[in-house]
Each structure stands twice: as structure tokens, then as C-alpha cells.
Amino acid sequence: MLGARAVRMLVLLAVTLVAACTSGPVNSPYAHGEADENVLYTAFAQRSPKYLDPARSYSADETPFTYSIYEPLYGYDYLARPYKLVPKTALAIEQPVYFDAAGQQLPDDAPGQQVALSVYDIQIKPGIKFQPHPALARDASGGYRYWPLQDGELEHKFGIDDFPHTGTRELLASDYVYAFRRLASPRVASPIYGVMAEHVVGLRDYGEQLKKIDETQSATMAFAHRPWLDLRETQFDGVQALDSHTLRIKVKGKYPQFKYWLAMTFTAPVPWEVDRFYAQAGMDQHDLSLNTWPVGTGPYMLTESIPNRRHVLSRNPNFRGEPYPCQGEPADAAAGLLADCGKLTPFVDKVVFSLEKESVPLMGKFMQGYYDIPQVDRGDYGVALRVAAGDSAEKASLYRDHGIQLRSSTEAQVYYLGFNWRDPVVGQGDTPEQQEKNRKLRQAIGIAFNWEQFVSIFQNDEAQVAYGPVPPGILGYQDLPQGINEQIYTLENGRALRRPLDDARQLLKEAGYPDGREADTGRPLILHFDSAGGMGSSAMLDWMRRQLASINIQLEVRATDYNRFQDKMRNGSAQMFMWGWVADYPDAENFLFLLYGPNAKAEGGGENASNYQNPLFDRLFEQMRFLDDGPEKEALVHKMVDLVQHDAPWLFGYFPKSGGAYQAWVGNAKPTQMVRNTLQFYRIDPALRAAKIKEWNQPVWWPLWLLGGLIAVGGFLAWRTARNRDRSTALARHDTTRQA
């Protein structure tokens, strides 16, 4: 008989041979057949989304969930650039009615300064339904099944799928009213409350009213036993439901940009029943809240949530469908982005998010085909792959063979080097003569500071050099040749060429610093760059020193931690600095306000970090901010850009690009950070994915066959050795018996 060890070896051999007979990948993270399903697979890093409550969510990694589940009144056209606002649950993009301080209605073209009140009456599409949810479930008598919950009913319930009954109802204007009231609730602590309270009539006073109610309740009972704060019982005049499908919002003064806030999930509808459902005792202890199990009318709903492991969005069965856009940028048709024109979205049945803590295994699985998109909320993976393809012919060939789509778009963001307008050397200057000299110094630095080289070295060419403060995709942006900064560039054959350093040296001489020295004293010109981190020895800072050294200006770096840097910016003591801005909404006002005088950081704590002051710019800004999109507004934006190009309070820097990486079987892929509800537009070809996964992950079996052969030989030798030993023992016993 074989020994136990030999038996184990033969069993192992049998298992190995059976495994070697399979035709599919053995390293697949999918269950059998999942790769063939209409599911999009992607990843998330670090942690699960923390806040999915629309009033609290303010992080980019949460937006793939919130903008797929919730529906604000408005949204953005997926393909159009400049970005175009479109209705979502609203019937149309409504224009407000204007009133003066006496309550008299004003014409639509009334000067913004005369407008005391803007009233938006927004019609909501009838028939929109919320996703199925237990908060909306009713029993046979019409009462709510899960309100109030009895003692013990929450036992063993840690997810929405643990509640067997669900219900739905129609979206009403009152759901938006309730959402606005939640922004002011102290129990929600919305990060957007302060901004909205500046614009929505009565919202700040309403917040104070809710605060007093909450304080009274907290003082008389334990935190866990506070009653639900029913926001239907209190109200304010600024947001009302005129009827079941008409929402009225009153905004202070004229603020055309308010419409963009209605495209953010902060203002997405929240049913009062859901707020009440999650307010019940014990819900927090079971991790049941709007932060973990949101409720919306959008194309998807959260159906599986394992914190820090896996989340699944599934098609909302109550979603009405939204047509795919039929127009876009000129290149969109050639890229196949218009093929689904008019078809109802979403196209994908499920979106599965899996945790990948490290980028290396994430990209490894992406290259194996197991992820369709590395991360939908981040554009740096596409940039990284484009850079890698540029650096390595082997990787470029690999990406090409895999059919990976590497697309990029310039984002509504700007990074710039700023001059402190209060500084006597690089700032505005005290006298007209000094102002002109300081301007020429800034322009000389602008010519010497080669942003094209900066983008090539430090952004791997994945950014667009800026000629002004307004980025592409924003109304008022001008491409070449109209948008060129003539102070820094010349135009040749349609291309912008940086002026020669001799022009910078001449400007430096006219500024009173011939050959980089003060004309009166002969002392070298030393400028200071305030850095927000490090010890001032990074490659970027060394590069900056060399740029100014090319015109004999010495640059000293004053490096501090970020808190100290912010202190310098607040008190206006920095001389030169680098900063950036990411747009909240796609309007030129959201960039030009960074140079508006009353927004000076050192005086008013605003976002004008350069403390730039120009009365003409301020007057134009005040005219522009009240205008609706159109030729008049665009002309004013161009005038303001011309002014700051001449004054040079900034070296305009660059607009970063967002890069998308998509497998060949992902359709309708267009990278963007402004449009957040992208998941509903993607299309998947599951059959192609399954075929490619099989092709790219063919198991290499010969080592196992070799191992099996070695095991077999070893087993045979062990068996033969054991047999020979048994024979020898038997013979020895036989001889002993005969001798006896």
C-alpha cells in the first residue's frame, strides 16, 4: 500500500492536472460569468465615501455616488464646451423676475444695481419617482411600515436591504424646500450653509431659529433621545412650494451665478419621510443614515455597501431615463461620442467600486482588464499613463495593443504666480512713475519665467499654458490668436512665441534695474518667493531661481509651513507666491473675482491673494457680474483680461489637464471634473471585455506540469524505495525463521 505522504502527493498532482484543464483565467477577481455582465468595474482608494448626505458631501471622491443618486434641478450637458447648463428635474432653465427695494417689478434688462430681489419660479417635471426605499414603504392601511420602529425591530438590520419592504412616491416641490431647510439645520452642519445664507432671503435668520430650537431640546433631554427636528413645522420666506410642482426661490439682489448652485447636489431634494426615518433611535448605532444609504431620483441607487471594501450602484428601477446628448465639441463625433444620440441613459446596469489602497496593484488589475476605469473621480491616472507612454516606447506599444483610450481635457482650474500689490518693489507703486516702473519689472519677470518649460518639466506637458485668468470651457475664454498676452508673447504663424530675453532686459533697465542692479546704488535686485512647504531646495524652486537669474535677478526663497504661509497671505507680507483656484461653477466671474479689489485678502479676507487694485477693473467686474451669458458679458470679460494682462498682477501660469484612462470596451468616455454625473453616460461592451480578459490572462501551465511530473517521479521513487524496503524486511525475517 502507498504511504500517506505518497497519497497526498498524488492528490496534489490530480488537482494540478484538473486546474490545468480550465480555459479561463485563474487570477480573476470575478465570480464565474461576471465579466460578461453589463457592469462597470472601477476602484476607490484610501477609504469609503464619508458623507453621502447631499447637504454635507463636499469631497471629490463622494461625487461619483452623490451625482449618480441625487438629481438637482439643473445639470451640465455632458459633451458641450463651453459648459452648458441644462434642466434635470426642472422643465427649463428659468430666468428670474427682478424687483427693486420698493417691491416694484423691474424689466429683465434693468441694471443690476437697481435689483433688490430676484425671484425664481421653477417648474418641476411631473411623474418623477424616488428610488425604492423603506422610508417610503406603507402598509395596507396606508401608514408607514417603518415609522415608528418598535423595540427590537432594528436588531440585525445594518443595511437598507435588511428591510424587506420598500416604497416610493412622486418628487414634489416641497422636497426641494425641505432640502434647503436642511442646509440651515444645526444637526446637519452643511459646509455650504454660509454661502447660501448670503444669497437666499431669510436663510440666515432661519438657521438661527433652528439653532435655538435645537439648543432648547438638547438642554432638556439626552442627545440620543432628542425628538426628530421636523423642518416642516418651521419655515422661511426665501424658499417655498407654490404648488406640488412649482418651486419659488428668492435671492438677494441680482446674482446670475445662482443658477449654478442649483446644479450642485447641495440643493438636491430630500423627502421629509427619509429624514424622519433616519432620525429614529438606534439608526446611528447601526450606521443607517443619509451619509451611508442615500435616497434620490437619479439613475442609480446604492444597493451594496461594505465600508472600506466594496460599494455597488445599481440601476434605479424608477428612473425615467435621460436622453444622451446629440451635440458636442467638433472632435466628439470623430471620437464616437455622438453614436448614442437620443438614446435613454443609463446604459450600464451596475457600477462596482472596490477598494485598492495602492496604485500599483490597481494599475496592474487595470492592465489585466479587471477594471474598466481606474477611478472615476480622478483624472491623474490618465495623465500618468500618457506620460509613461511618452517616456517608454514599450509601454506606448502595450497601451496601444490593449486599445486603452487615453483622453485629456483642460480643466476649469488655474495655477499662477502672484505679486503682492502692496509690496513696494513688485506691487502697484506709490506714484505714477513708480507704478510704471513696477509694471515693467513684472513684465520682465513674466518674459523670463518660461511657463512652457515649467509645464514640460513639472506637469509632463499635461497642462495648458495660460495667457489670462479665464480657462477653456468658460464663456469669455479666447484661444489664439485673439487671446494672446501681447505683453509676454508675439504671434508667428498662429503660434505664441515668448518674447526674447533681450526684451526682458530692456524692460528691466526701464524699470530702474539695468543688468539686474539698482540704478542708484548698484546693489543687486533681490526678490523673495514665499513657499508654502519644504526648505526651499526642491527642483521646482531651483528652476525658478534659474529663470530669474537669466536676467540677473536673484531669487531668495522664504519657506514656511502652510499655516505660516497663510498668515503671510492674510497680513499681506508675502512678496511673490504661487497659488491656484478650482472653479465652483463654470463662469468667468468665478475666476475674475480673484482680482476684484474689494476681495483683497489682506484687507477684507477675500480670495484676491495678490491684493490687486484697479478701479477700472472693479467697475467692469461689477457690470459683468450682473449680466447673463451673452455677447455683452463676453466683451466685458475680454476687456478685464486685457487689463490684467497689461497690469500683470499675476504670471498667469497654467490650466491643468484631466486625463482619463478607459479600456477599449468603454464607450462615451470624455474626461471632465466639472460634469460629475458621468456614470450614466458610459457604455460597456461585456463580450469584448470577457474576450480580452481571457486573452491577456492566459495561464502558464508548464511549470505546474513540470511540478506534476516531478511529484509523479518522486512518488514513484518513494513507492519503489518503500517496496524494496518491505521486500528486504520480509527476506530478513524469512532468513531468521529458517535459522531458527
Side-chain angles (χ1 to χ4, degrees):
M1 293 181 61
L2 293 178
R5 181 179 179 186
V7 171
R8 287 197 300 269
M9 294 173 70
L10 290 176
V11 170
L12 175 61
L13 174 60
V15 171
T16 300
L17 295 178
V18 170
C21 293
T22 182
S23 60
V26 296
N27 63 335
S28 175
Y30 304 143
H32 181 70
E34 282 188 349
D36 298 300
E37 296 177 356
N38 185 24
V39 177
L40 188 150
Y41 293 95
T42 187
F44 66 98
Q46 304 302 322
R47 63 170 178 84
S48 291
K50 186 175 182 180
Y51 297 117
L52 297 181
D53 184 332
R56 297 202 67 181
S57 177
Y58 206 17
S59 179
D61 65 328
E62 297 159 359
T63 56
F65 297 90
T66 55
Y67 281 84
S68 297
I69 295 169
Y70 297 109
E71 284 191 294
L73 292 160
Y74 303 153
Y76 295 106
D77 186 292
Y78 179 51
L79 301 178
R81 306 292 185 273
Y83 294 102
K84 178 184 176 183
L85 207 63
V86 294
K88 296 287 284 185
T89 61
L91 281 170
I93 305 296
E94 300 289 353
Q95 294 301 312
V97 177
Y98 303 121
F99 296 88
D100 62 17
Q104 299 297 313
Q105 184 172 338
L106 297 169
D108 292 343
D109 60 353
Q113 293 82 352
Q114 295 181 13
V115 177
L117 181 68
S118 301
V119 178
Y120 294 78
D121 285 345
I122 302 172
Q123 298 295 315
I124 295 171
K125 297 174 184 176
I128 296 176
K129 295 290 186 68
F130 282 99
Q131 68 181 68
H133 193 273
L136 303 174
R138 292 178 179 267
D139 56 28
S141 64
Y144 289 95
R145 283 187 176 271
Y146 300 112
W147 172 268
L149 288 171
Q150 303 303 315
D151 290 342
E153 278 195 85
L154 269 181
E155 189 175 358
H156 306 305
K157 289 182 171 62
F158 296 92
I160 292 303
D161 54 348
D162 292 327
F163 294 85
H165 301 283
T166 62
T168 186
R169 68 164 172 79
E170 186 179 12
L171 171 68
L172 303 173
S174 57
D175 297 315
Y176 284 98
V177 175
Y178 201 87
F180 270 91
R181 292 177 183 177
R182 289 186 78 245
L183 296 179
S185 173
R187 298 188 185 178
V188 175
S190 173
I192 208 67
Y193 165 64
V195 174
M196 297 302 286
E198 291 180 13
H199 298 291
V200 178
V201 171
L203 184 58
R204 190 175 300 282
D205 290 340
Y206 180 69
E208 292 300 317
Q209 179 185 357
L210 292 181
K211 185 178 179 181
K212 291 179 181 178
I213 295 173
D214 183 61
E215 288 174 348
T216 300
Q217 291 183 352
S218 299
T220 57
M221 61 194 70
F223 178 86
H225 294 93
R226 291 183 305 174
W228 168 51
L229 186 58
D230 186 355
L231 301 180
R232 296 174 300 166
E233 296 178 354
T234 55
Q235 58 185 326
F236 67 104
D237 187 50
V239 183
Q240 307 170 26
L242 300 185
D243 56 45
S244 60
H245 290 86
T246 306
L247 177 70
R248 170 169 286 178
I249 305 175
K250 297 179 180 179
V251 174
K252 302 172 186 176
K254 185 176 183 181
Y255 182 43
Q257 293 76 26
F258 182 75
K259 60 182 179 288
Y260 296 116
W261 292 103
L262 301 181
M264 300 181 188
T265 51
F266 292 119
T267 58
V270 176
W272 65 267
E273 298 98 325
V274 171
D275 194 41
R276 183 183 68 174
F277 173 78
Y278 284 129
Q280 297 182 84
M283 285 285 184
D284 284 344
Q285 289 79 1
H286 286 245
D287 206 20
L288 294 169
S289 72
L290 270 174
N291 285 320
T292 51
W293 294 98
V295 184
T297 62
Y300 291 104
M301 51 191 277
L302 189 65
T303 54
E304 182 180 340
S305 183
I306 306 174
N308 299 322
R309 182 180 172 187
R310 173 183 162 101
H311 303 280
V312 177
L313 291 175
S314 300
R315 185 189 293 267
N316 175 7
N318 296 337
F319 186 62
R320 64 204 174 277
E322 184 176 291
Y324 186 87
C326 291
Q327 295 181 332
E329 294 182 280
D332 287 348
L337 293 174
L338 299 181
D340 284 322
C341 164
K343 296 178 182 177
L344 294 183
T345 63
F347 298 124
V348 174
D349 293 333
K350 286 185 180 181
V351 184
V352 176
F353 298 80
S354 300
L355 176 65
E356 291 288 352
K357 293 184 177 181
E358 303 293 339
S359 61
V360 172
L362 190 160
M363 292 309 298
K365 292 178 183 178
F366 177 69
M367 294 307 300
Q368 291 173 301
Y370 296 129
Y371 286 127
D372 305 316
I373 304 172
Q375 279 186 251
V376 295
D377 62 303
R378 292 177 57 179
D380 50 352
Y381 286 102
V383 170
L385 290 182
R386 285 167 62 90
V387 172
D391 293 341
S392 168
E394 181 181 357
K395 289 184 177 180
S397 177
L398 175 65
Y399 302 157
R400 186 169 53 252
D401 292 344
H402 276 55
I404 292 175
Q405 306 172 71
L406 298 178
R407 298 178 178 175
S408 66
S409 64
T410 304
E411 289 299 337
Q413 305 174 18
V414 64
Y415 287 87
Y416 63 91
L417 188 145
F419 299 103
N420 183 6
W421 214 241
R422 297 156 58 98
D423 185 83
V425 178
V426 300
Q428 181 178 21
D430 295 332
T431 65
E433 179 184 13
Q434 192 62 45
Q435 289 173 8
E436 184 66 12
K437 287 184 175 182
N438 288 7
R439 182 182 66 84
K440 291 182 175 180
L441 171 60
R442 294 191 299 273
Q443 289 178 349
I445 296 172
I447 294 172
F449 207 94
N450 192 325
W451 284 106
E452 288 78 10
Q453 193 180 92
F454 182 96
V455 165
S456 176
I457 296 173
F458 300 107
Q459 299 298 313
N460 293 297
D461 286 323
E462 293 298 323
Q464 178 179 329
V465 173
Y467 305 126
V470 179
I474 306 297
L475 182 72
Y477 168 78
Q478 285 184 300
D479 206 346
L480 297 178
Q482 293 86 355
I484 192 170
N485 183 353
E486 295 180 348
Q487 312 298 324
I488 307 297
Y489 296 91
T490 58
L491 200 64
E492 186 173 313
N493 297 324
R495 295 177 59 245
L497 295 179
R498 188 170 290 274
R499 291 184 178 276
L501 289 178
D502 284 344
D503 287 8
R505 295 185 182 103
Q506 180 60 34
L507 285 168
L508 200 59
K509 180 179 179 180
E510 295 173 10
Y513 304 100
D515 200 29
R517 293 181 175 272
E518 295 180 7
D520 297 337
T521 65
R523 291 182 299 188
L525 174 60
I526 301 174
L527 299 180
H528 300 92
F529 177 79
D530 287 273
S531 172
M535 297 302 294
S537 60
S538 71
M540 188 185 79
L541 296 177
D542 289 340
W543 179 87
M544 292 172 62
R545 292 187 184 98
R546 289 195 299 272
Q547 300 302 294
L548 296 193
S550 67
I551 54 174
N552 291 331
I553 294 177
Q554 297 181 30
L555 181 67
E556 290 187 356
V557 175
R558 299 187 293 203
T560 59
D561 60 46
Y562 191 63
N563 289 336
R564 175 60 181 143
F565 172 77
Q566 288 185 305
D567 288 340
K568 287 183 177 182
M569 299 304 296
R570 280 191 288 265
N571 60 36
S573 61
Q575 187 177 57
M576 297 165 59
F577 60 92
M578 192 174 290
W579 223 335
W581 182 258
V582 179
D584 293 308
Y585 45 84
D587 192 287
E589 181 265 351
N590 201 228
F591 290 91
L592 295 174
F593 91 116
L594 300 171
L595 293 159
Y596 180 51
N599 286 340
K601 185 173 287 292
E603 295 179 5
E607 296 298 339
N608 179 356
S610 288
N611 303 300
Y612 173 64
Q613 303 284 338
N614 183 320
L616 177 57
F617 180 94
D618 292 346
R619 286 197 297 273
L620 293 174
F621 180 84
E622 287 161 1
Q623 295 176 43
M624 181 273 301
R625 73 188 308 180
F626 293 127
L627 294 176
D628 294 314
D629 292 347
E632 184 181 0
K633 179 177 179 178
E634 194 167 10
L636 283 178
V637 171
H638 296 163
K639 288 181 181 180
M640 297 166 70
V641 172
D642 288 342
L643 272 179
V644 294
Q645 285 177 339
H646 177 268
D647 287 351
W650 291 358
L651 306 186
F652 293 107
Y654 62 92
F655 307 123
K657 290 184 179 180
S658 174
Y662 313 92
Q663 298 285 7
W665 53 81
V666 178
N668 301 333
K670 184 171 184 175
T672 171
Q673 297 295 306
M674 182 62 67
V675 183
R676 298 290 188 175
N677 59 319
T678 57
L679 288 176
Q680 74 180 86
F681 302 110
Y682 293 140
R683 181 184 286 281
I684 295 293
D685 184 345
L688 178 60
R689 173 173 59 196
K692 289 298 183 181
I693 286 176
K694 183 177 179 180
E695 175 186 338
W696 298 340
N697 298 276
Q698 286 294 327
V700 179
W701 293 117
W702 68 262
L704 291 180
W705 283 104
L706 177 60
L707 177 61
L710 292 174
I711 291 173
V713 171
F716 172 75
L717 293 176
W719 171 78
R720 191 175 67 177
T721 299
R723 185 189 63 177
N724 291 339
R725 185 173 61 246
D726 291 343
R727 286 181 176 177
S728 298
T729 302
L731 288 173
R733 289 176 177 171
H734 179 68
D735 291 344
T736 302
T737 302
R738 291 181 60 188
Q739 290 173 3

